[in-house]
Amino acid sequence: MEAGEERFPKQRQVLILFLLMRVALAGWESRRYSVMEETESGSFVANLAKDLGLGAGELAARGARVVTEDNEPRLQLDLQTGDLILNEKLDREEMCGPTDLCVMHFQVLLKKPLGVFRAELLVRDINDHSPEFPEREMTLKILENSSPGTVFPLKKAQDLDVGKNNIQNYNINPNSHFHVSTRNRGDGRKYPELVLDKELDREEEAEFRLTLTALDGGSPPRSGTTQVRILVLDVNDNAPEFAQMLYQVQVPENSPVGALVVKVSARDLDTGTNGEISYSLFYSSQEISTTFELNSLSGEVRLIKKLDFETISSYELDIDASDGGGLSGKCSVSIEVVDVNDNSPELTISSLTSPIPENSPDTEVALFRIRDRDSGDNGRMACFIQDDLPFLLKQSAENFYTLVTNGALDRETKAEYNVTIIVTDLGTPSLKTEHNITVLVSDVNDNAPAFTQTSYTLFVRENNSPALHIGSVSATDRDAGANAQVTYSLLPPQDPQLPLASLVSINADNGQLFALRALDYEALRVLEFGVGAVDRGSPALSSRALVRVLVLDANDNSPFVLYPLQNGSAPCTELVPRAAEPGYLVSKVVAVDGDSGQNAWLSYQLLKATEPGLFSVWAHNGEVRTARLLSERDAAKHRLLVLVKDNGEPPLSASVTLHVLLVDGFSQPYLPLPEAAADAAQADPLTVYLVIALASVSSLFLFSVLAFVAVRLRQRNRGASLGGCSVPEGYFPGHLVDVSGTGTLSQSYQYEVCLTGDSGNEFKFLKPIFPNIQGQNLGSKSE
């Protein structure tokens, strides 16, 4: 028991020691059908559908099959009608030999649900064989002094049929000295015996020839004959006598050829030739004569062929011992073949389902049957599989097992299993059989496509060419086949006003993204949209990811000058006092660039001036300042050409013209530049009149303002000299820029910086504000 426990530790074993554990179809019992041997192929045996209580066509729906013990296709099941028919002629003698009852066991296998129906087919014997004697003539020696009533055994005939079709009687042709009686032995066989009816006289008749006839009980009866030659001998007082009339021996079936089976021994009290004994087989069938060999001198019986318990389990030998005088004695040898564990278990697959779908628990994978041709413990079996597999063995009927899944399988984890079914017997030593089954797991669409990233950031430079490949998205699906084929698409944008379909497209097969038209950084800097990936399973599964396209700026916008205005009207003239010191702020060029980053970094450069060296432009802020002291020799009118350039690659630029008028004081009326006067002269008279009127009104307004400012300043200075007057609130703004009088003018100038927010840009305009004294001076000069 300990060895058995060590042989099968922690294994799911299903012992065959138990009989049928459960019957799948309630109420079914083993039934027996019968058929005569030699019945033609295709003959009707029974209607199994009726016996099983199944409707027409249900056998086909449940995959009914007929399986015999020896797996020979002797029977066929018509799945449409349910008829069981013969697939070939049955020969009872070939199938069962001398066995009286010839029963062929078979099973009907059903699926969905599983069912096993057991039945037997009795093959009935017909009288198709005649009795046959082993020899055409047998010789019998009888002493002349034999008394009437003496019995002499004769060799029996053999009939392959059984039952009443076997030999029932023996007789000989009528004569005055002998008759034949039929003797029944314990094994049921009938043997002929010759009985002496009248004393013999060798001198009168030394030889008899009789015809022995064997009759069977068939209808009509069959017979076989042989000739019996009887020789009348002189008197031999003692016949050989065996030490035993019956020898019983057991021989293992694995005994080697040449092994001694038994040794018989007889003795004869006579002397000389009458005491010399020779042994022979009294009756020898073909099976006996090809299996055993008898030594005529020693009486040893040896094997000349291997034994097989599963084929023949016992033998009966009749041995004759004859002396030199013609007398003989007989004995019987009963040989029992002892079974040894020489047959490994057999496994037959009845049905196999592969592949099986994943996520399907308790699915039947295979139905199989096991068998061991040995007997006793040698024929008892245990069946199991490996422990580390998601499968179970279930005994469904006697010697039938089903292999089922133990829970749901996952193809993505493992798509193929190698299941080894191990069948061992309980013999010593134990024999086993292994059968490998490859179970494939088919795919079910249980995995949605998965993007490699939850969000993608792509970059594209503006002004791209149409249909430009800007990037790709990728999704994988762990399923297989059509379930893993991914199709990409653009998802509807959250903003319905966004024309996504006209901006980008996606390749449905590989996820490549394309810009359908040129993008403008200044119009659209960031484009966000969703992409979807859907597989081709049923039902289809999908996932989504976010794509963020950043448009990179290109230097495609030239700088735009906001101040001074360049709208084709009369140019703006900047007034600069001749007393301005170096660094005096003349004006400021204000420009913007629609690009971003370094493409919008602007630099300023003075390209052309009426008098080079008099003015300079700060490169970073566009401020135009005096470069030196002004003199009386400097021209009053100056024209500056300023270049505004961005930092793009290649750089773009714009230019602006600035007119500067040098004045001794701000009371000097504005004089148009010669170019402007020439243009005005060329204009029509109405335009000239309008310009003159505008100039007059402007001059009057300017003088009025100056007078008002002068009066106010004088009052303030007077109040300050009295020590108690305060400056009126609200006139001077708080953001004044003081330009100290570092130039030729002795007075200081203050300028008010006015800020305007047009389009988010900052402009600075300069307005002179004169102090009291300067105002008085200007007023006096004006007068």
Side-chain angles (χ1 to χ4, degrees), residues 746-767:
S746 60
Q747 296 85 1
S748 298
Y749 292 87
Q750 289 182 330
Y751 297 89
E752 181 179 4
V753 180
C754 300
L755 303 178
T756 63
D758 184 16
S759 302
N761 296 287
E762 184 176 293
F763 309 96
K764 295 183 180 180
F765 302 93
L766 302 178
K767 182 189 296 182

Side-chain angles (χ1 to χ4, degrees), residues 36 125-132 157-171 182 184 188 190 213-224:
M36 300 295 293
D125 184 49
I126 64 173
N127 193 22
D128 56 345
H129 293 87
S130 298
E132 293 183 4
Q158 183 178 10
D159 194 327
L160 296 179
D161 295 321
V162 296
K164 67 177 183 178
N165 294 326
N166 205 313
I167 298 172
Q168 301 297 321
N169 193 20
Y170 292 91
N171 59 52
T182 303
N184 293 324
K190 293 179 171 58
T213 302
L215 297 172
D216 61 23
S219 179
R222 291 176 176 264
S223 63

Side-chain angles (χ1 to χ4, degrees), residues 760-782:
N761 296 287
E762 184 176 293
F763 309 96
K764 295 183 180 180
F765 302 93
L766 302 178
K767 182 189 296 182
I769 300 177
F770 308 104
N772 263 338
I773 300 175
Q774 182 67 22
Q776 294 174 1
N777 294 334
L778 290 176
S780 61
K781 288 180 180 180
S782 174

